[in-house]
C-alpha cells in the first residue's frame, strides 16, 4: 500500500486459490483502492472438466498515469 511506481505499463502478478476443491475461474484486481476493477489473465494450463485445481497463477498489465 502506498508504493510509488513510474508512469507507464505495470505488470502485477500473483496467485489465487479457492476452497473446497473448486476451480478458480476469474481474478479481479483493483489498483485504486476498490474504485475500479480489472479482470486479470489466468496463466498456465487449465484442468480437464471435473478436475479442478485449488490455485492458479494470474497476471494483469495495466497503464499507470
Amino acid at each position: 500500500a502506498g508504493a510509488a511506481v513510474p508512469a507507464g505499463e505495470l505488470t502485477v502478478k500473483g496467485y489465487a486459490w479457492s476452497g473446497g476443491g473448486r476451480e478458480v475461474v476469474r481474478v479481479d484486481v483493483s489498483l485504486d483502492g476498490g474504485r475500479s476493477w480489472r479482470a486479470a489473465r489466468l496463466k498456465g494450463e487449465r484442468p480437464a472438466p471435473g478436475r479442478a485445481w485449488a490455485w492458479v497463477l494470474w497476471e494483469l498489465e495495466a497503464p499507470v498515469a
Side-chain angles (χ1 to χ4, degrees):
V5 296
E9 195 77 12
L10 175 68
T11 301
V12 183
K13 300 177 182 183
Y15 63 93
W17 66 91
S18 66
R22 293 182 300 259
E23 179 182 4
V24 175
V25 295
R26 181 179 172 135
V27 174
D28 293 319
V29 180
S30 176
L31 299 175
D32 59 9
R35 290 189 297 270
S36 64
W37 295 86
R38 295 175 175 260
R41 181 171 49 102
L42 301 181
K43 300 188 62 144
E45 62 182 82
R46 308 302 299 157
R51 304 268 316 171
W53 295 334
W55 65 274
V56 66
L57 297 172
W58 58 266
E59 182 174 287
L60 173 72
E61 294 181 11
V64 176

